[in-house]
Amino acid sequence: MLNTVELKRQLEKDSDTLVQDTIDIIGDNHIATSKDTPLRPDAFDISDKEKIKLIAAKFKDIMEIMGLDLTDDSLKGTPNRVAKMYIEEVFSGLNPANKPDIKLFENKYQYNQMLVEKNITLHSYCEHHFVPILGHAHVAYISNGHVIGLSKINRIVRYFAKRPQVQERLTEQIAQELKHILKTEDVAVMIDAEHLCVSTRGIEDTNSSTVTAHYSGKFLEKDVKSEFLAYIQG
Ligand SMILES: [Zn+2]
C-alpha cells in the first residue's frame, strides 16, 4: 500500500492540469482517435496470469487510496476478482489469441439474398470511463458464394465487444472482419446501445441510446438498405 507521503509525491508529479483537462474533454465527448484499438507493441509480452497479478495489486492500491479497508472479508477478494474479470472476461477480446476461428462454407443452397441476424446481445465497455455499453447489434450480408455459421456472427460481435471500446470503432471493426471473412463488400452492421457513462453519471440520461451503422457494397443502394432496415424494425 502506498503511504500518504508517496501519494502526495505522485500527485505533484502528475500536476500537468492543462493536459489533463484536454484529455477529460475528449473522453466525455467520446471522440475516438483510431479505427484500430490503440494497443502497445509490447501488449502481449507478459502472460494473462502475470497481468492478473499486476492488475490485482494496482486495483488494491485504488481501493486503499479511496479509503477502503481491504482486510474486510467482503472486500479482500475484490482486487483479484476484478483483475480476472478484466483479463479473462470483459477485455478478453484484446488478445488476438481469443479471436474466433471462423470456417467458411460453400453456399450450397444458392441463397444469394440478404441474410440478417438481428438483436445480437452486445456487452462492451466504454474506453473513456470503463463502464458498460449495453445493447444489440444487427448484422447483414449478401453471400457471394460463401456463408458462415450463424453463431459465428455472434462470436465476431462478442470478440470485438470485449475490449475497451467506442461504439463507432466497434461497428467498424465488426464490419471489416465480416467483409474479410466473407470475401464480400456487401455487409451492414448496426449497433443500438445504452452507455452507462451517459445513463449512470454525467448527464444521467436513462432514456437515450446511441445508434451507429456501417453500410457498404450493395447496402449503399437505397432499396437494399430499406430492406435491411425493414427486417430489423419488424
Ligand atoms: Zn464513456
Side-chain angles (χ1 to χ4, degrees), residues 1-2 6 20 28 41 89 93 114 121-122 132 137 156 167 180 182 186 193 219 223 229:
M1 154 87 183
L2 297 165
E6 283 168 333
Q20 192 54 47
D28 252 357
E89 296 177 279
M114 185 185 304
T121 303
L122 179 128
I156 292 167
Q167 191 174 318
H180 174 71
L182 291 160
D186 303 334
F219 285 92
D223 291 353
L229 291 173

Side-chain angles (χ1 to χ4, degrees), residues 18-30:
L18 190 68
V19 174
Q20 192 54 47
D21 283 351
T22 316
I23 292 168
D24 282 349
I25 291 163
I26 290 171
D28 252 357
N29 288 330
H30 293 98

Side-chain angles (χ1 to χ4, degrees), residues 126-196:
C126 161
E127 72 179 19
H128 300 123
H129 297 95
F130 269 46
V131 294
I133 298 170
L134 307 173
H136 292 96
H138 314 290
V139 172
Y141 71 93
I142 299 167
S143 168
N144 73 351
H146 301 98
V147 288
I148 52 173
L150 289 181
S151 69
K152 304 298 186 210
I153 298 176
N154 296 60
R155 286 184 199 285
I156 292 167
V157 169
R158 182 189 290 190
Y159 171 68
F160 288 103
K162 296 219 173 288
R163 296 177 173 190
Q165 277 289 11
V166 283
Q167 191 174 318
E168 297 90 327
R169 184 200 296 130
L170 175 57
T171 310
E172 285 297 314
Q173 288 180 335
I174 294 166
Q176 295 311 329
E177 183 67 12
L178 283 165
K179 285 187 210 178
H180 174 71
I181 291 171
L182 291 160
K183 303 182 188 357
T184 177
E185 280 296 305
D186 303 334
V187 162
V189 177
M190 182 186 280
I191 294 176
D192 185 350
E194 178 192 355
H195 291 234
L196 263 61

